[in-house]
Structures are given as structure tokens and as C-alpha cells.
Amino acid sequence: MKIVTQVKLMPEAEQAAALRSTLRTVNDLACWVSEVAFAHGVPREYELRKHTYPRLKAEGLGAQAAQHTIKKVRDAYTTLKANIRAGNLGKEGSKRHRKAESKPIAFRPEAAQPYDDRCLSWQYDQQTVSIWTTAGRIKNVRFVCSADALKTLRECRKGESDLIERDGSFYLAATCEVPEAEQYEPDGFIGVDLGIVNIATTSTGYQAAGRGLNRYRKRQRALRAKLQKKRTKSARRRLKERSRRETRHVNNTNHIIAKTIVTEAERTSAGISLEELKGIRQRVRLRKPQRVALHSWAFAQLGDFIVYKAKRAGVPLVFVDPAYSSRECAECGHIDRLNRISQAKFACRSCGVVAHADRNASTSSPAGARTCGLRGVSHASLPPHRGVWTEEPTQQPVGRYLQARSFRAGSC
């Protein structure tokens, strides 16, 4: 399993100037390569190399740096094409769609630049790196990180590392291949219901309330609006200081929630049943005041955190279809729109069970998996949205969405 470990560089003044100049140079040349690629209809990487490599070398880039610059541009166009195909940039003919296709991709002056082991070497004991720059190779550039991050780098670092400049500071994001733990045989599954009012609710009773996070986001929006309205130099400076603060806070919150859920599953030898919510923003129609909350909902990030932490701990994980989970009774399986009395209250019209709505939804999600006896679920080497396989060799792979309701007793 690949993860990214980030360290902060602590260069001296001359080293920082060389790093900054290097990023400006390679990104200016990347913009030029992008223009050439756009003019030639975005050819393949080998063909693009014929048009651009000689000038990149003449501008002072090393062989590896030139190759990485060309590959970075080609990968950017590959990503753009994938986003257009997936409809992430609007429908064909829309203003956003036309804008994306009408001009070449541009790179920010401080955009990340990839390095391989020929351009970058690590000295873990001294906590320094030797890195290529346009001013020559500079050595003994100090970096700082936690003890766990240093151990991960020492034991698992493999592949490229990206040099990043952010707010005047330099970072290296290194790719590490961490071994996955062997999966155990789960004794049932813990269902996880994701939401905005309650970020995550599990069938074991854990509930991560979203009230604090929603208040924090509301306060941050008000502060940003207040500073943007000022339009003064000091207000812009304050906005820059506060940039990405909300993002960091949300990341930390989701890490804590994901770790709590995975730790509970590992402690009880259970698997995790997670909702597949991909595309929910396109399906749901809300009033204008509610759209901010929906589009600020970081459910995909929380799901990714749970997936990779489960892989590292060897916890089996399955994805289930969330359709009708808010209306389905976890006791009798009766589905009715009137079962959901309010956001927090659930009362079954068939058997009369009264429960918390999110708790009921989290309990109904894994019920099918427990009833059918799904065991040995494997998510190794699979992206989180590709389905799962059961251990029985005679069974066919389960589809992309595990239909939880179809696994109810009597239908297995």
C-alpha cells in the first residue's frame, strides 16, 4: 500500500534561494512544454519529448529534471481528459467545459516538482537531503519530521518525492510502500453511517457529532467574508495567514474519527461496512442555504482515511449501497418514507421500533453482510470503489455496490 510521508525542509538562506529559483524555472518551462503540447494536439510523452527535450537541456535542466518536467505536463493533460470524460468540468458545451479545452494548462510558479533517486538522496541519520537545483546539487539540506515519519521513510520509502513550496516554506512529499497487515476472519461487521449533522455513527454506539465542526466552518466563513470586505493590505495578509486552516482542522477531525472506528473494529475482531456515497452531490437537490453544508461535507476524505487505516491494521472492509438505509428498519427490514419522523428520530410503521435515525441506519447497513456470513473480505490491491471478493472460490465477485437489502434472511 502506498502512502505519502511529508517532511519539512529547513534550508539556509542560499539553499532556499536555490530551491525557489529551481521551482520557478522548471514551472516556467513546464508552461512552455504545455503550450507546445497543446499546439501539437497533446501527443504521447515520447513524441512530446522530441519537440521539447533539446530546449529544456539548453535552458540548464538536467536530464532527469527535463524528463520529469515533460512527464508532469503529460500527466496533467491525462488528468484533464479524465475529468472531462467523467463530467467533473460540466456538460459538453458549458462555459467551464469550453474554458478547460480552449487553452493550454498553466503551472503555478511554486507548483510541485517530482524528484527521483538520481536527483535526490536521503541521509536519515543526519536528517539531511542532497537535492538537484538549477544552481547545482546542494547538500546537507536539513529536514524535520516526527519519529514515526522518519521510521517510515527509513523502512518503506520507495519511488518519487515531490518538492513543494507553501507559504515560503519547502516540503518534500515522499512516496512510501507500507506493507499491509494480513486480514483476519471477522466476527461480524460494524456498520458506519455517514452524515453532516453526525459525521459518523457506528452500530456499536460510537457517534462523532458534527456540531462543533459545522460551527467552526461557519465561523471561518464569516471571518473570511469580513476580511475580504476590508480590501486592505493587512486584511489580505491576515487572509493569507489563515489560508488552509479550515482544511487542516477538517483533516485532523477525519483522521481522529477514522482511527477511532478502525481501532474499535480491530479490538473486537470485526469488519467495517461503509456506505458508498459517490455521486451524492449530483443526486441530491437542496435549497440554496443548505448547499454550502453539502459541498463542504468531506465524506470521501473520511472514507479514504478509513480504507487505508483498515488496510494497515488488516481490518476487512466492504462497501454497501446506502439507498433507503435512512428509511429501512434494522429490526424487521420494513422500508417506508414515513419511518423517518425527523432528522434524529426513527419509528418503524411495521414493528413499532423507535430508535435514533443514524444509529438505525448504521445497524441496517451491515445486517446483510452478517446474515450472509461474508468472511475473508479482501480489499488488498483494490481501490475503495471497485467491489470486494469473498474467499469462496466458487462464488463470483460481488458487484461494485453490495446490495445490503438483498442479503436479508431468507434471500441468501
Side-chain angles (χ1 to χ4, degrees):
M1 177 181 61
K2 291 185 178 181
I3 64 172
V4 175
T5 301
Q6 182 174 276
V7 302
K8 184 177 182 179
L9 297 180
M10 306 294 290
E12 298 177 359
E14 294 181 357
Q15 296 172 339
L19 293 174
R20 187 171 293 107
S21 175
T22 299
L23 284 180
R24 301 298 187 274
T25 301
V26 295
N27 284 306
D28 285 344
L29 291 172
C31 291
W32 172 77
V33 174
S34 178
E35 293 174 359
V36 174
F38 187 80
H40 288 79
V42 192
R44 293 181 180 273
E45 183 180 341
Y46 182 76
E47 185 70 21
L48 182 59
R49 196 176 301 163
K50 294 180 180 179
H51 296 290
T52 58
Y53 183 78
R55 177 177 169 180
L56 294 180
K57 287 286 293 180
E59 292 287 344
L61 265 62
Q64 291 300 111
Q67 302 282 11
H68 284 303
T69 301
I70 297 170
K71 187 176 184 298
K72 177 172 75 171
V73 173
R74 191 62 187 83
D75 290 344
Y77 277 101
T78 301
T79 302
L80 175 63
K81 185 177 180 181
N83 283 326
I84 291 175
R85 191 187 308 116
N88 297 333
L89 297 176
K91 298 179 181 179
E92 187 175 359
S94 64
K95 182 178 179 181
R96 189 181 180 192
H97 190 281
R98 292 195 308 269
K99 184 178 180 181
E101 290 186 320
S102 63
K103 60 181 181 179
I105 294 175
F107 294 85
R108 293 177 291 105
E110 66 276 6
Q113 174 68 12
Y115 281 79
D116 59 14
D117 289 340
R118 295 184 181 182
C119 308
L120 174 70
S121 60
W122 299 75
Q123 295 80 44
Y124 302 114
D125 293 335
Q126 295 81 18
Q127 285 195 215
T128 60
V129 295
S130 172
I131 186 170
W132 172 89
T133 67
T134 53
R137 196 175 185 98
I138 57 175
K139 300 180 179 180
N140 300 322
V141 181
R142 294 190 304 114
F143 70 86
V144 292
C145 63
S146 66
D148 289 340
L150 183 62
K151 181 180 178 182
T152 302
L153 287 171
R154 190 191 300 270
E155 297 177 355
C156 307
R157 191 197 64 80
K158 186 177 181 181
E160 295 181 352
S161 303
D162 288 347
L163 175 64
I164 306 167
E165 182 184 2
R166 186 187 304 135
D167 297 334
S169 300
F170 294 93
Y171 301 87
L172 279 173
T175 303
C176 301
E177 291 191 3
V178 179
E180 298 180 17
E182 184 179 355
Q183 287 187 24
Y184 53 78
E185 191 80 5
D187 298 330
F189 283 79
I190 296 176
V192 182
D193 180 72
L194 305 179
I196 297 175
V197 176
N198 294 310
I199 301 174
T201 305
T202 67
S203 55
T204 57
Y206 171 70
Q207 187 177 75
R211 180 187 304 173
L213 184 59
N214 292 333
R215 286 179 176 175
Y216 178 84
R217 280 176 167 151
K218 185 177 180 180
R219 180 171 178 269
Q220 294 301 313
R221 287 197 301 270
L223 287 174
R224 284 195 298 269
K226 185 178 179 180
L227 290 172
Q228 289 166 355
K229 191 176 180 180
K230 292 285 186 181
R231 295 187 177 183
T232 61
K233 186 176 180 179
S234 60
R236 287 192 293 269
R237 184 174 64 249
R238 290 287 294 170
L239 280 169
K240 187 175 181 180
E241 291 173 358
R242 301 186 65 85
S243 64
R244 291 185 294 275
R245 182 174 294 186
E246 180 180 335
T247 301
R248 293 194 296 269
H249 182 73
V250 174
N251 291 352
N252 182 63
T253 302
N254 284 336
H255 270 298
I256 293 173
I257 296 172
K259 185 175 181 179
T260 302
I261 294 172
V262 173
T263 302
E264 175 69 12
E266 185 181 15
R267 184 183 65 83
T268 58
S269 298
I272 298 176
S273 174
L274 196 63
E275 291 180 314
E276 168 64 273
L277 296 175
K278 187 175 182 180
I280 191 171
R281 290 192 176 99
Q282 287 73 33
R283 298 193 303 268
V284 175
R285 294 293 179 267
L286 295 174
R287 294 179 299 171
K288 192 171 183 179
Q290 297 174 313
R291 294 173 191 169
V292 174
L294 177 66
H295 290 277
S296 301
W297 182 23
F299 64 87
Q301 182 189 77
L302 177 58
D304 291 342
F305 287 172
I306 293 175
V307 167
Y308 98 82
K309 291 178 189 294
K311 286 183 178 181
R312 295 193 68 174
V315 176
L317 185 143
V318 296
F319 281 87
V320 298
D321 188 355
Y324 303 106
S325 60
S326 63
R327 305 176 184 180
E328 179 182 2
C329 178
E331 295 293 330
C332 67
H334 176 67
I335 300 176
D336 193 334
R337 181 176 59 84
L338 299 177
N339 287 348
R340 187 72 177 262
I341 296 178
S342 64
Q343 188 280 326
K345 190 173 182 180
F346 181 93
C348 181
R349 294 278 173 155
S350 177
C351 65
V353 168
V354 178
H356 189 281
D358 291 337
R359 180 73 57 80
N360 174 82
S362 66
T363 307
S364 63
S365 295
R370 287 197 301 267
T371 305
C372 272
L374 279 175
R375 295 294 184 268
V377 179
S378 173
H379 47 56
S381 71
L382 284 176
H385 306 306
R386 294 290 181 85
V388 295
W389 276 257
T390 54
E391 66 175 359
E392 292 81 355
T394 58
Q395 290 186 346
Q396 295 296 320
V398 183
R400 177 174 177 179
Y401 300 108
L402 291 179
Q403 299 291 340
R405 296 188 310 281
S406 65
F407 292 125
R408 196 174 297 118
S411 64
C412 297

